[in-house]
Amino acid sequence: MHSHTPDEDIAITDDLVLESLGYKPELKRSFSLFGMIGFAFSVLTCWTALAGSLVVGINSGGPPVIIWSWVGVSLCSMAVAYSFAEICSAFPVAGGQYSWVAILAPPKYARPLSYCCGWFILIGFLSAGAGNGFVGANFVLGMAQMANPDYTIERWHTCLVAYLLLVLAAATNIWGRRALEKLSQAMIIFNIVSFVVVIVVILARDNQKNTASFVFKDFQNFTGFGTAYASLLGLLQSAFGMTGYDATAHMTEEMKDARNDAPKAIIWAVWIGAITGFFFLVAVCFCIVDIDAAASTPTGVPIFQIFESATRSFALGMLLSVQISIISLVSLAFLCAQSSRLAFAFARDGGLPFSKFFSKVDRKSQVPINAICLVVAINMALMSIYFGSVTGFNTILAISTEGFYLSYIMPLAVRLWGRWTGKGPEFLEGSYNLKFGVWLNIIGVLYLAFASITFNFPSTYPINASNMNYTCAAVAVSVLIAAVTWFTTGSKQFSGPQAGAMLQGHAIHAHHIPHSVDGSLETQIMDHKTMDPVVDNKVHSE
């Protein structure tokens, strides 16, 4: 027996926890805590996401609703994030929410609930990929239009540029896997520096700032609905800006010391996102000169027009636009990584058609290349809807957030079931325990349920076929797809984590195995495999 360094002990213990859930470690653990915070914040990237959806809030209550709803949404999202951190620390597996549901739900319903949750997350991510490709393409073409005012952006231009960006994101994940961790560290620095530059420049250059009353008090309503209803719609912009904080959960199998660092990365990403989002919104609302001009800008990107008007300079406006565009384009690569790991994990559990093919990991690069190609292909297919129907594509964007929020509700609901009935697993010493966990779970469930309902409301009156919100119909189609696949293949193939053996037997005690410097830890791993044939068979059956 040879001695292990502390880092080697941590890596061995991480792999032991994964094997106790029934999975063979196949992905390379390269992400540090700082790198994962950068990765998670680059996916979340609240202030740039808010920049893209600013007009929604302006029309539905104006700056006061935008700012105060962001505060409320951020606080509620904190409750969800802390709840996720607690669960993730106990069960660090790439499946994230659907794996947690399989482990925490009543045994009788665990598999179908987990399967349904998995489809909600998958649909959310695949729709988000198409949406982020669309936003990235808009940013690229918007800058081209700023530089050449005679250029007119066509829909097919947007589709083709989005295709190119999606292919580049896939290429980065397939051939640039080793650079992702370094890129994530560089991007959090670039992101924060860009945020500071944007705030300072627009506030320093704008000499026609709005009043504090306009920003924090004066209600505006251009929806055609009543005041209360318009305020609810204004919440949507904030909710759109605070999604994707489950990013870390799906990358835990590539993290060093995932059980301890993954919860920290989740919390840090949401805190940084909430703070940067708040100050960005306040600064932009003070600097909005003409919202109608921004909404109708030929660039197709209102924030670009706001930058140019506030700075009174094409060069400065372009500089700020380039910064925000870089963040958006790089986040697309990180989103591709996150989505492909989810698709890989779901296929590994038999949740997808042709699961064996999509769960393969390339031995040389230690990357799920087939899953990456699947994700990008579906992203491109969804993006193609924009060729023929703007309304149809807007529905795809709406279902992304709906899918995320529905998948967020399910693990919190089953966690509450475990707390109240006493039948759920005991979170063991060394995991991320919450002192007020029950209350945070309750706040999270109530907020997510409220938001999921509100996402289905129409946003303009009078309502017609072109402005109707078809999110509920799209969700129904998603549920139908999940139901059909469950009864055709899922009920036979889908397994999920080996929760029963783990929670009832000795395997869960992997959390308690101390670090060793004399090789005893390695011996315990071998003993563990020998003692648990259920886990051992699944791990080595591939």
Side-chain angles (χ1 to χ4, degrees):
M1 294 290 184
H2 68 279
S3 61
H4 296 289
T5 65
D7 287 343
E8 287 175 333
D9 279 348
I10 290 173
I12 292 171
T13 309
D14 279 338
D15 287 345
L16 176 59
V17 173
L18 189 60
E19 291 193 11
S20 72
L21 287 163
Y23 301 119
K24 178 173 65 176
E26 296 181 274
L27 305 176
K28 184 176 178 60
R29 294 189 183 274
S30 59
F31 278 91
S32 63
L33 173 59
F34 183 66
M36 186 49 64
I37 292 174
F39 180 98
F41 182 58
S42 293
V43 172
L44 192 61
T45 187
C46 294
W47 70 280
T48 55
L50 291 169
S53 60
L54 193 63
V55 174
V56 175
I58 290 291
N59 290 330
S60 307
V65 170
I66 291 175
I67 292 171
W68 298 122
S69 67
W70 178 251
V71 174
V73 165
S74 295
L75 291 174
C76 292
S77 297
M78 291 288 183
V80 181
Y82 275 100
S83 298
F84 276 12
E86 181 184 50
I87 303 173
C88 186
S89 69
F91 313 113
V93 59
Q97 299 97 293
Y98 87 81
S99 295
W100 303 339
V101 170
I103 294 169
L104 300 174
K108 182 179 179 181
Y109 306 106
R111 287 180 66 241
L113 286 177
S114 174
Y115 189 79
C116 184
C117 183
W119 271 100
F120 279 138
I121 316 172
L122 196 61
I123 289 170
F125 273 122
L126 295 176
S127 303
N132 279 35
F134 172 77
V135 170
N138 274 351
F139 281 179
V140 171
L141 294 174
M143 290 188 293
Q145 205 285 328
M146 286 178 68
N148 181 14
D150 293 331
Y151 168 56
T152 301
I153 301 173
E154 303 289 349
R155 272 193 285 176
W156 65 272
H157 298 168
T158 304
C159 287
L160 292 182
V161 173
Y163 288 165
L164 174 62
L165 297 178
L166 290 168
V167 169
L168 290 175
T172 302
N173 277 269
I174 293 173
W175 292 291
R177 167 64 184 82
R178 295 182 180 180
L180 276 183
E181 207 271 340
K182 293 182 179 179
L183 183 61
S184 65
Q185 294 183 4
M187 279 310 299
I188 189 171
I189 297 172
F190 180 81
N191 205 321
I192 298 299
V193 170
S194 297
F195 163 75
V196 173
V197 169
V198 167
I199 298 296
V200 170
V201 170
I202 63 175
L203 290 177
R205 292 285 298 179
D206 185 20
N207 57 4
Q208 295 179 329
K209 293 184 182 66
N210 293 307
T211 64
S213 178
F214 172 82
V215 174
F216 295 108
K217 182 180 177 183
D218 297 340
F219 187 88
Q220 302 180 47
N221 183 7
F222 303 103
T223 64
F225 291 106
T227 301
Y229 186 90
S231 298
L232 289 179
L233 295 178
L235 292 172
L236 295 181
Q237 190 234 358
S238 296
F240 291 151
M242 186 61 85
T243 54
Y245 41 86
D246 57 323
T248 301
H250 304 295
M251 299 296 292
T252 50
E253 294 179 33
E254 295 172 66
M255 283 190 70
K256 301 173 182 176
D257 198 12
R259 293 164 301 138
N260 293 315
D261 286 350
K264 298 174 186 176
I266 293 173
I267 300 303
W268 271 102
V270 174
W271 269 105
I272 297 172
I275 293 170
T276 54
F278 176 79
F279 285 106
F280 174 76
L281 288 175
V282 171
V284 169
C285 288
F286 268 110
C287 296
I288 293 175
V289 176
D290 187 345
I291 190 60
D292 292 328
S296 59
T297 174
T299 66
V301 185
I303 193 65
F304 288 1
Q305 180 65 41
I306 293 173
F307 284 161
E308 190 170 0
S309 299
T311 59
R312 293 171 287 113
S313 166
F314 167 79
L316 282 176
M318 179 62 81
L319 173 64
L320 302 185
S321 300
V322 167
Q323 288 180 309
I324 205 171
S325 298
I326 291 174
I327 294 169
S328 176
L329 297 180
V330 174
S331 73
L332 190 59
F334 291 138
L335 182 62
C336 179
Q338 181 185 5
S339 303
S340 63
R341 298 323 186 260
L342 171 66
F344 154 76
F346 203 45
R348 181 177 60 183
D349 284 326
L352 293 178
F354 311 106
S355 285
K356 289 185 178 180
F357 178 76
F358 292 119
S359 62
K360 288 183 178 179
V361 174
D362 182 72
R363 291 187 178 182
K364 183 177 179 180
S365 63
Q366 293 182 283
V367 168
I369 294 178
N370 295 345
I372 292 173
C373 293
L374 172 67
V375 165
V376 173
I378 296 178
N379 288 165
M380 295 175 73
L382 293 175
M383 185 66 225
S384 67
I385 295 174
Y386 190 67
F387 273 118
S389 172
V390 175
T391 302
F393 186 70
N394 287 341
T395 300
I396 294 297
L397 299 182
I399 196 176
S400 172
T401 308
E402 183 84 0
F404 280 129
Y405 274 48
L406 290 173
S407 75
Y408 292 173
I409 289 177
M410 297 180 72
L412 297 193
V414 295
R415 176 72 175 120
L416 279 174
W417 170 84
R419 290 182 187 274
W420 286 338
T421 63
K423 297 179 181 179
E426 178 185 354
F427 278 75
L428 304 174
E429 182 181 352
S431 64
Y432 193 87
N433 291 299
L434 296 176
K435 187 175 181 180
F436 302 104
V438 173
W439 293 107
L440 292 175
N441 294 164
I442 292 173
I443 293 171
V445 168
L446 292 177
Y447 160 67
L448 293 169
F450 170 77
S452 296
I453 293 171
T454 308
F455 289 153
N456 295 278
F457 291 173
S459 57
T460 305
Y461 186 85
I463 304 168
N464 54 48
S466 63
N467 63 29
M468 177 62 185
N469 188 338
Y470 294 99
T471 302
C472 56
V475 171
V477 172
S478 303
V479 172
L480 179 62
I481 293 172
V484 170
T485 55
W486 170 257
F487 287 110
T488 54
T489 60
S491 60
K492 299 176 182 178
Q493 299 179 6
F494 182 68
S495 58
Q498 295 292 335
M502 177 181 167
L503 297 181
Q504 301 301 325
H506 60 274
I508 190 66
H509 295 284
H511 289 271
H512 287 303
I513 296 176
H515 297 316
S516 171
V517 294
D518 61 1
S520 59
L521 179 59
E522 199 167 29
T523 302
Q524 292 181 62
I525 293 175
M526 298 306 298
D527 289 344
H528 168 72
K529 290 180 181 178
T530 303
M531 292 170 64
D532 196 338
V534 176
V535 174
D536 189 57
N537 287 341
K538 183 176 180 183
V539 169
H540 297 286
S541 64
E542 300 177 53

